[in-house]
Structures are given as structure tokens and as C-alpha cells.
Amino acid sequence: AQSVTQPDIHITVSEGASLELRCNYSYGATPYLFWYVQSPGQGLQLLLKYFSGDTLVQGIKGFEAEFKRSQSSFNLRKPSVHWSDAAEYFCAVGRGGGYQKVTFGTGTKLQVIP
Amino acid sequence: EAGVAQSPRYKIIEKRQSVAFWCNPISGHATLYWYQQILGQGPKLLIQFQNNGVVDDSQLPKDRFSAERLKGVDSTLKIQPAKLEDSAVYLCASSFQGGLYGYTFGSGTRLTVV
């Protein structure tokens, strides 16, 4: 069965600082990987996704993520954080096949301080 | 395009009462999902529809939860009778060709069972 681990429950960064959110997955085959962001009181919004090809994926809002098969990781990065990035971030892994199933991690809450 | 619509946004009920949530997915999206998000956790899939057929309901507590998607468009999720542990945000999402292309989520319904 597929699973996702987000080891950091809560992260605080200063505005303008760089950000890296960790995500480790468990899946037997090549995974489909996603990062979603959830602002308070809102649903989840897709930031980026990885299926195959270039292991560095660019997403919306200046985010990027790198797939590292050897480490079973898909970490999310942003070079300079803005106060509006404060939200909860979810990593997710999916499997292919007829009807794809996507499993979400438990999330990392990002706090941005001035 | 219009997003995924959900109603109501908030609901407070007493335990053992019943409640229903409604979802209208993005036009043309064949796949519809209901997720349960308990505070501090990632979304957990309850049920997945492909058009008006159920694809995956393995984590749906069928003794109290039911869902339907008539005519392959709108969907309702019902809980009867509700328990305290059902307090959560219920998210509806839809996708065009399955979750591996990314979901579009609604804003969710926050249910509080007292």
C-alpha cells in the first residue's frame, strides 16, 4: 500500500527566507506525486505534480519540488517566502491503473514571521 | 471555470442526528471524491465515483455513511446517525481523468457533532 510521511508538523520561517518542506513516500512502483496547499477555511489547491521526466518540477506561486527516487523523497522548496505563503501543505502520492488512488500525508503547517 | 461547490459551509448537530452534504463538481469532471479531514490530519478518502458508479468506498463507514451521485453530476453524502468522532471537514473534489492529474477541491463543509 502507498503511504506518505511528512515529518515536520509545524515549521516557522522568516519572511524572505528560503523554505524546504519534507515529504517521503512509500510505493512499490514509480509514484505520482503531488503537493497541495490549504489556506484556513479553504479547500486544497494543487501546487505541482510529478509524473515522470525531469525530476525538478515547477509549480504555481514560485514553488518547486524535486523527486529523488534513491531517497523516496519529494521535497517542496521556495527560495523566498512571502507572508501569504502561511498555510498548511500536504504531500500526496498516487498510483496508476484503472482508477487512481491518491493518499495524502498529515500536512505541515507553515508559519511566516515578519 | 466555476469551481467545486459545496454546501452548507458549516453544520452543527447533536449526536445521533442525521446530516447531508451536497457537492456540485466542475462541469465535465467524471470523477468525484468525498474526503474526510479530521483536525490535524490529512484528508482521508471516503468514496470515489466515476460518473455515477462507485469506484472505491473501502474506507466509508457504511453502517452510518452513504453517498450517491445521481446522473453523474451532483453528489450527496449523508451521515445517519452521527457520532462525536464524525466532527471533521468534509471535502468534495473532482477531476477530469482521475486523481493523477490533480484534483480541484471545494471549500468543504465543517461538521461539528455535539
Side-chain angles (χ1 to χ4, degrees):
Chain A
Q2 65 214 54
S3 66
V4 177
T5 301
Q6 293 182 250
D8 303 307
I9 296 172
H10 190 273
I11 283 184
T12 300
V13 299
S14 299
E15 191 169 15
S18 63
L19 171 70
E20 182 167 25
L21 301 182
R22 296 184 291 165
C23 172
N24 293 98
Y25 68 89
S26 174
Y27 182 59
T30 300
Y32 294 71
L33 294 161
F34 310 84
W35 275 100
Y36 285 84
V37 61
Q38 186 177 34
S39 298
Q42 300 298 314
L44 283 74
Q45 181 185 19
L46 180 66
L47 284 175
L48 48 79
K49 57 183 182 283
Y50 171 78
F51 291 165
S52 63
D54 192 346
T55 56
L56 185 62
V57 180
Q58 301 298 319
I60 63 172
K61 305 185 180 187
F63 286 92
E64 66 178 26
E66 186 171 13
F67 171 60
K68 293 185 177 180
R69 183 187 301 275
S70 61
Q71 298 177 20
S72 297
S73 69
F74 189 57
N75 294 349
L76 182 70
R77 300 194 295 247
K78 187 169 184 178
S80 178
V81 171
H82 188 262
W83 64 266
S84 60
D85 293 324
E88 191 154 20
Y89 292 80
F90 292 91
C91 182
V93 61
R95 67 163 190 241
Y99 296 108
Q100 307 94 1
K101 180 168 184 171
V102 176
T103 301
F104 287 84
T106 52
T108 297
K109 185 165 288 188
L110 173 65
Q111 181 181 7
V112 180
I113 56 177
Chain B
E1 63 181 3
V4 176
Q6 287 190 249
S7 67
R9 286 298 310 271
Y10 306 93
K11 191 74 176 179
I12 301 175
I13 62 172
E14 295 182 349
K15 59 183 179 183
R16 291 187 291 275
Q17 285 187 324
S18 63
V19 65
F21 313 127
W22 173 82
C23 173
N24 179 241
I26 290 176
S27 178
H29 280 195
T31 315
L32 184 147
Y33 314 79
W34 283 102
Y35 278 85
Q36 179 192 58
Q37 186 177 19
I38 293 173
L39 187 64
Q41 299 181 18
K44 182 185 83 170
L45 179 67
L46 292 176
I47 189 166
Q48 177 180 341
F49 292 93
Q50 182 73 15
N51 296 308
N52 60 349
V54 175
V55 171
D56 184 350
D57 63 357
S58 57
Q59 298 193 89
L60 186 73
K62 299 181 186 62
D63 58 334
R64 298 183 300 107
F65 285 65
S66 64
E68 62 181 6
R69 189 183 185 195
L70 299 177
K71 300 181 182 178
V73 182
D74 293 5
S75 177
T76 56
L77 176 69
K78 297 179 182 178
I79 308 175
Q80 182 179 10
K83 292 185 176 182
L84 295 177
E85 58 261 36
D86 297 332
S87 294
V89 175
Y90 291 84
L91 294 164
C92 179
S94 68
S95 64
F96 179 61
Q97 284 185 297
L100 299 187
Y101 293 83
Y103 300 157
T104 301
F105 280 86
S107 297
T109 296
R110 181 176 297 277
L111 173 68
T112 302
V113 182
V114 298

